[in-house]
Amino acid sequence: MPAACSGQRLLLLLCLGLSAGSPADPAATTKGALQSQASSLTKVQAGLHESSPEPITTAQAVSWQTQGSPSDHLTLGHTISAPGPELATQEFKEATKDNITFTKYEALLPGVSGTSVEKYITLDSAARIELSCRLDNKNSHLQSLQVIWKKGNETIGHINKTENSWSIKLRILDSSNLGSYSCSLKSKEEIGAAFHLQVPKIEGREKPIVSYGGDTGVMTCESSDYIPIAWSWYMTNGSEQIALNDSLRDKYVINIISANVTQLKILNLTEEDDGEYWCEAAFELGESRASVRLKVLSFMVPLKPFLAIVSEAVILVTIIFLYEIYSKKKEKHAEDEKEFDQVEQLKSEDSNGLENSSARHRRI
Amino acid sequence: PSPSNAGRAPSPPDGGWGWVVVFGAFISIGFAYAFPKGIAIFFKEIQDFFGTSYSEIAWVSSIMLATTYGAGPISSILVNRYGSRPVVIFGGLLCGVGMVSAAFCTSILQLYICVGFITGFGLSLNLQPSVIMIGKYFLKRRPIANGLAMAGSPVMLCTLAPLNQFLFDNFGWRGSFLILGAILLHCCVAGALFRPIGAAKAPVKTQAIEEGKETLKEEVTKDAMEMSNPRNIPMETKMEEEGEKDCCEKINQYLDFSLFKHRGFLIYLIGNVLMFLGFFAPIVFLAPYAKHIGIDEYSAALLLSILAIVDMIARPATGIIANSKWVRPRIQYFFSFSIAFNGACHLLCPLASGYTGLVVYSIFFGLAFGMVCAMLFETLMDLVGAARFTSAVGLVTIAECCTILLGPPIGGTLIDTFGDYKYMFIKCGAVMVLAGTFLFIMNYYNYRMLAKEEKERKAKEEDPKSVRTDNEDRNNWNKEATQGGPELEPLREEQEGLKKEVNGT
């Protein structure tokens, strides 16, 4: 169902082409991740909905625009989910006349007063991107602005200026190209934005996995939206990280559940296997790590509360039964006394009629 | 002392130790209903461990619920034979054994057996006897007792959910199952509280006193044994004395199939079987629906908590309302109304937009759910009377078992085919409104027939105004009951119960 829904949106966007940033829904397929389309879509949709009920709210939101001549047409790129306060940005590939496609990310300035706008962009493969800082309509009147683009401390030349936006074009080929790029616009005050380019994050587990000696420990890592090229697992031994691979088949088994999910099975757990394990996903542009903690307990640990609770239940049952026997005895004792008194009374009153009444009331 | 008391089956004390029994039933029923839902927390981990799909794991819960309901007749037979207390204690032991062995499972199939069948069977041996015990201990205040006991389910669910999470974080799923097995042994504690009802010793003894001391002791011990015998079927001994024993009645001793000729029972059966088709599905899908329309996970979980809390309050409150003198004689109407109200809530749910709309829906749903659950067994007791309730509850639960299991999957397929949750809500709402109206109309007809039969019976009684002894009274009453004739006993029982109240006995 989500796939059909997004398919509709795809068509809609294709037909309309995009004009001035209409906040819209993340939709569409990735080039390289067609098979995970449905799941990643729902995730992104869900992720979007989870953190912001309306997709784009403040001026901080990224808008996307087409640029170039009317002969350009849009093809949709893949959605990028980014952690942090701002959510999905959408990338669009434009076909320019030179047949080079650039994905554009734009920040509207100024953001909330005092803070600079932060954008987190996740890239899993080599790409050409264009980062642009645009003045919003309120401030478009400002003149004589000095605009600087920096990566870290290096200044970048080749700034393309259009009416109210300044942009740089980048080719991201390997991990050295990733990092933070910032633009700053100075006139009387300084406003700016920063774009953080990262590899995709993968998920391990925050809470430790609890397992028992002799049992099998199972740890999974998942990459939600992007498919890594390779997975690997590491174990922390003191301060070292030891790679776990298939050479130790009888102890460590690495299963590939699916392209996004990897699983490490440790057989015959012992106390030494307790500790932190790292799963690493290799992407084209770098690696990403997540940790999973394993706790190995002995069976004595849950056995103690178990025995405590069992003995408590047994004690309660015994108390209840004893109380019942005791109260029955008391009742019987009290009634015996009552009957004895009454019998004595009757005997003394009517000793003659007793025989007659006993014959009469023989039956019950 | 009025000898007429001894003529009826031991009159329910309506208090005293009865409240302790209600507490025991509270625990038992709470475990029986809340446990299958509570262990859902472990499923993700178990799924990873055994490498299965989610639906295979969800079968564990379904098997447990199915066994709890499906083993109803077996439970009834055992209670008829041995009485409630041994059955509940055995059930508690079975649950404990099931969960402890589940802690050592090495495959999903073993989990099905240990958690699904064994624990489910143990829970079913808890559920039915608890409800039966309430019927034995209460008459005038039975709706309150039922409401209080059924409130165990949401309370246990609210306790089990965080407890399970705590256990899981500290002990993993194996350790948690071990400790949960120990916790389930408290069902045995609840069972120990189910003292077999041995009332009406006093009237018997007053007669014996006049006979003399030796015979006095004999009779007392013999009658005490007979009365405190867990079999609350004095009619059974009478049957043996009268020598009427063909094979049908022998089977009916264990499981009263003659109930299928009972008009009220059939009405209840059909109405409830229909109702359960749409009863549980909305709860199962409430959180996914909330997430679907864009609410975050924690707020969605909060919706369920709101539902549980309102449910908790609604059940005893419904019990009190149902016990009031305006509602008690017409309790079947109240029951059908609450079912229809429940259905109306579901029908209106798709109109709820946004989080506040869903919160309002959860509150009303919790209220309606609590109302229906509180009166679920009370109305059955009202229709068939406490004596035959043992068998009735078993037959009803096994019939409901099928629709309970079918409800959520049907809802799920509706959601998958139409891609929209509203059709599931509409289906559930429609089914329940239909069930409610059916019950309302049929019970109206039933009440009229009962009133007519009561008039005829009274007319017959006026003529031969013979002096009745206790035993003749008991004989006639028992004959009518065993021959499955008029369904007068419950009404008569209650009328006389109310009369007794007036007379101040």
Side-chain angles (χ1 to χ4, degrees):
Chain A
M1 173 238 123
C5 193
S6 66
Q8 283 176 11
R9 290 190 181 127
L10 227 101
L11 276 166
L12 187 68
L13 286 164
L14 274 171
C15 294
L16 288 182
L18 272 183
S19 54
S22 49
D25 322 290
T29 65
T30 75
K31 261 195 325 188
L34 276 164
Q35 58 270 48
S36 60
Q37 167 188 5
S39 56
S40 67
L41 269 168
T42 40
K43 272 217 182 83
V44 171
Q45 276 178 347
L48 180 67
H49 288 141
E50 270 168 19
S51 49
S52 57
E54 306 137 48
I56 300 193
T57 49
T58 66
Q60 282 186 353
V62 171
S63 62
W64 66 101
Q65 286 197 335
T66 64
Q67 271 201 332
S69 64
S71 66
D72 298 345
H73 64 275
L74 285 168
T75 50
L76 289 167
H78 57 262
T79 51
I80 292 166
S81 66
E86 296 82 32
L87 256 272
T89 67
Q90 194 151 9
E91 69 175 31
F92 285 91
K93 298 190 172 164
E94 316 165 19
T96 66
K97 289 188 190 120
D98 308 324
N99 264 346
I100 301 174
T101 58
F102 277 84
T103 316
K104 184 165 180 179
Y105 300 90
E106 192 168 80
L108 268 180
L109 292 175
V112 177
S113 59
T115 62
S116 74
V117 179
E118 310 273 334
K119 294 268 166 280
Y120 294 88
I121 300 167
T122 313
L123 298 168
D124 72 327
S125 52
R128 292 170 196 262
I129 59 173
E130 183 177 341
L131 302 173
S132 135
C133 290
R134 160 186 290 275
L135 279 178
D136 66 6
N137 299 328
K138 266 195 314 185
N139 289 331
S140 51
H141 60 279
L142 291 174
Q143 308 286 343
S144 62
L145 286 172
Q146 203 187 24
V147 180
I148 303 177
W149 273 97
K150 278 195 202 167
K151 176 184 187 219
N153 282 331
E154 286 172 33
T155 314
I156 305 175
H158 303 295
I159 300 181
N160 296 344
K161 184 188 183 319
T162 57
E163 192 188 314
N164 263 332
S165 72
W166 294 259
S167 63
I168 52 171
K169 288 202 167 95
L170 301 166
R171 279 177 65 183
I172 311 292
L173 295 173
D174 58 36
S175 53
S176 61
N177 300 123
L178 295 172
S180 299
Y181 294 81
S182 57
C183 73
S184 63
L185 284 69
K186 258 192 246 184
S187 64
K188 288 174 223 153
E189 312 152 340
E190 181 166 342
I191 51 180
F195 294 86
H196 306 280
L197 278 69
Q198 318 164 316
V199 283
K201 288 224 163 61
I202 60 176
E203 291 150 24
R205 258 181 71 117
E206 301 125 24
K207 293 192 194 158
I209 293 187
V210 178
S211 208
Y212 293 92
D215 196 12
T216 312
V218 175
M219 289 169 281
T220 32
C221 267
E222 193 178 328
S223 161
S224 29
D225 302 308
Y226 304 94
I227 298 189
I229 301 171
W231 287 100
S232 43
W233 284 90
Y234 295 89
M235 188 177 98
T236 334
N237 191 1
S239 54
E240 284 175 30
Q241 306 238 320
I242 307 173
L244 307 168
N245 49 31
D246 284 345
S247 63
L248 303 155
R249 266 241 84 108
D250 54 343
K251 178 82 175 170
Y252 301 102
V253 178
I254 299 181
N255 288 330
I256 302 173
I257 309 273
S258 70
N260 310 27
V261 181
T262 183
Q263 190 182 69
L264 174 68
K265 263 199 182 141
I266 309 182
L267 311 169
N268 269 325
L269 285 171
T270 59
E271 294 281 309
E272 292 137 20
D273 295 317
D274 189 314
E276 201 168 5
Y277 290 79
W278 296 89
C279 59
E280 191 180 79
F283 294 97
E284 198 179 316
L285 295 172
E287 284 104 20
S288 175
R289 279 188 167 213
S291 88
V292 182
R293 283 211 52 224
L294 180 71
K295 236 165 55 165
V296 181
L297 305 172
S298 83
F299 244 119
M300 289 298 129
V301 175
L303 202 61
K304 285 187 234 149
F306 172 75
L307 290 174
I309 298 177
V310 169
S311 46
E312 176 226 340
V314 169
I315 290 174
L316 279 175
V317 173
T318 328
I319 292 178
I320 292 173
F321 275 126
L322 286 175
Y323 175 70
E324 186 172 327
I325 295 174
Y326 166 74
S327 63
K328 269 209 186 120
K329 272 202 194 138
K330 225 171 69 165
E331 230 179 73
K332 206 158 173 261
H333 191 66
E335 285 186 358
D336 283 352
E337 282 187 4
K338 214 171 66 173
E339 287 153 13
F340 184 72
D341 289 340
Q342 284 192 327
V343 165
E344 291 296 305
Q345 208 183 22
L346 284 169
K347 271 190 179 159
S348 64
E349 279 178 13
D350 191 356
S351 53
N352 286 336
L354 187 62
E355 282 155 338
N356 297 338
S357 53
S358 69
R360 238 192 316 130
H361 293 280
R362 180 58 57 176
R363 68 179 182 91
I364 273 291
Chain B
S2 43
S4 61
N5 275 355
R8 333 188 67 255
S11 58
D14 267 313
W17 189 254
W19 297 116
V20 182
V21 169
V22 167
F23 176 68
F26 178 90
I27 294 181
S28 258
I29 293 176
F31 275 125
Y33 280 118
F35 199 72
K37 298 180 205 159
I39 58 170
I41 292 180
F42 302 112
F43 283 171
K44 179 81 177 53
E45 183 68 18
I46 298 177
Q47 184 189 340
D48 283 341
F49 188 83
F50 288 119
T52 57
S53 69
Y54 183 75
S55 60
E56 285 180 20
I57 294 287
W59 269 107
V60 172
S61 242
S62 307
I63 292 179
M64 193 191 252
L65 198 62
T67 322
T68 307
Y69 266 76
I74 303 178
S75 197
S76 296
I77 294 175
L78 288 174
V79 170
N80 271 335
R81 182 85 177 77
Y82 298 108
S84 293
R85 177 186 261 180
V87 176
V88 177
I89 294 182
F90 178 63
L93 283 172
L94 210 56
C95 289
V97 163
M99 287 311 283
V100 167
S101 52
F104 297 99
C105 277
T106 50
S107 81
I108 190 83
L109 192 62
Q110 292 173 5
L111 265 187
Y112 287 159
I113 297 174
C114 293
V115 180
F117 282 115
I118 299 182
T119 313
F121 186 55
L123 288 178
S124 115
L125 292 180
N126 265 292
L127 177 63
Q128 268 88 0
S130 312
V131 184
I132 292 168
M133 252 346 219
I134 294 178
K136 287 193 203 167
Y137 266 89
F138 285 89
L139 178 60
K140 272 171 11 226
R141 302 219 197 112
R142 202 172 54 200
I144 299 181
N146 261 312
L148 279 172
M150 295 299 279
S153 169
V155 168
M156 273 297 165
L157 189 59
C158 284
T159 342
L160 268 184
L163 178 70
N164 279 356
Q165 189 64 49
F166 169 77
L167 286 176
F168 178 59
D169 289 339
N170 284 314
F171 298 106
W173 67 271
R174 285 194 196 269
S176 304
F177 278 0
L178 192 68
I179 295 179
L180 280 174
I183 293 178
L184 278 177
L185 282 182
H186 285 86
C187 291
C188 294
V189 176
L193 290 170
F194 289 166
R195 234 183 248 182
I197 181 89
K201 281 188 202 168
V204 174
K205 283 187 189 147
T206 50
Q207 288 186 3
I209 285 171
E210 293 162 29
E211 288 183 50
K213 212 172 171 193
E214 302 87 42
T215 46
L216 179 147
K217 281 274 155 66
E218 267 177 49
E219 307 279 3
V220 161
T221 41
K222 192 185 105 193
D223 282 314
M225 261 171 48
E226 202 182 55
M227 283 302 161
S228 63
N229 186 320
R231 291 191 210 171
N232 83 321
I233 313 180
M235 64 172 95
E236 220 174 82
T237 52
K238 286 299 154 192
M239 270 166 59
E240 284 164 38
E241 283 178 30
E242 290 162 2
E244 283 174 16
K245 234 185 176 182
D246 59 351
C247 88
C248 275
E249 294 202 6
K250 212 171 175 180
I251 296 178
N252 281 354
Q253 251 180 280
Y254 291 102
L255 196 64
D256 197 357
F257 282 105
S258 70
L259 277 167
F260 283 110
K261 290 189 244 159
H262 191 293
R263 191 175 52 233
F265 176 76
L266 285 175
I267 295 172
Y268 180 88
L269 188 65
I270 298 175
N272 273 43
V273 163
L274 195 60
M275 172 192 74
F276 272 109
L277 260 181
F279 197 51
F280 284 116
I283 303 182
V284 172
F285 290 112
L286 182 60
Y289 175 60
K291 285 190 220 163
H292 173 78
I293 65 173
I295 298 175
D296 65 279
E297 240 182 81
Y298 294 109
S299 310
L302 190 62
L303 283 176
L304 285 173
S305 312
I306 295 175
L307 206 153
I309 292 175
V310 175
D311 190 8
M312 235 187 276
I313 304 172
R315 293 194 194 199
T318 312
I320 295 175
I321 295 177
N323 202 40
S324 66
K325 67 174 193 280
W326 302 288
V327 180
R328 185 89 191 266
R330 302 277 172 260
I331 199 172
Q332 303 293 334
Y333 292 144
F334 191 41
F335 185 53
S336 355
F337 161 72
S338 48
I339 296 179
F341 174 53
N342 208 345
C345 279
H346 296 323
L347 286 175
L348 294 174
C349 178
L351 300 175
S353 54
Y355 190 57
T356 31
L358 275 188
V359 169
V360 171
Y361 168 71
S362 298
I363 293 177
F364 279 105
F365 183 23
L367 185 67
F369 192 74
M371 281 168 72
V372 174
C373 280
M375 287 195 286
L376 206 54
F377 292 112
E378 169 61 32
T379 40
L380 184 58
M381 276 188 221
D382 181 66
L383 282 168
V384 304
R388 297 165 89 187
F389 179 72
T390 317
S391 313
V393 74
L395 293 171
V396 157
T397 46
I398 198 174
E400 291 167 356
C401 169
C402 314
T403 44
I404 287 181
L405 284 179
L406 284 176
I410 292 183
T413 33
L414 273 176
I415 294 174
D416 288 336
T417 33
F418 290 105
D420 197 347
Y421 281 81
K422 75 171 187 227
Y423 292 105
M424 188 266 307
F425 283 111
I426 292 178
K427 158 237 169 194
C428 293
V431 160
M432 293 194 74
V433 168
L434 187 66
T437 18
F438 170 80
L439 280 173
F440 193 87
I441 297 174
M442 294 309 288
N443 275 307
Y444 173 69
Y445 164 70
N446 190 35
Y447 273 135
R448 274 183 48 187
M449 295 296 289
L450 283 175
K452 230 186 342 174
E453 283 161 6
E454 175 76 13
K455 252 193 334 191
E456 287 169 13
R457 195 185 57 84
K458 276 236 156 68
K460 261 195 274 181
E461 271 178 33
E462 298 289 310
D463 298 331
K465 192 85 181 209
S466 52
V467 177
R468 283 176 199 218
T469 65
D470 310 344
N471 299 323
E472 269 181 35
D473 204 8
R474 200 197 284 183
N475 268 343
N476 288 340
W477 179 74
N478 291 338
K479 263 200 203 134
E480 284 171 6
T482 51
Q483 285 161 11
E487 296 80 32
L488 288 178
E489 344 142 9
L491 255 190
R492 198 176 143 206
E493 231 178 275
E494 299 190 2
Q495 280 179 5
E496 297 201 19
L498 293 166
K499 273 190 213 153
K500 266 180 14 205
E501 180 195 335
V502 170
N503 290 338
T505 36

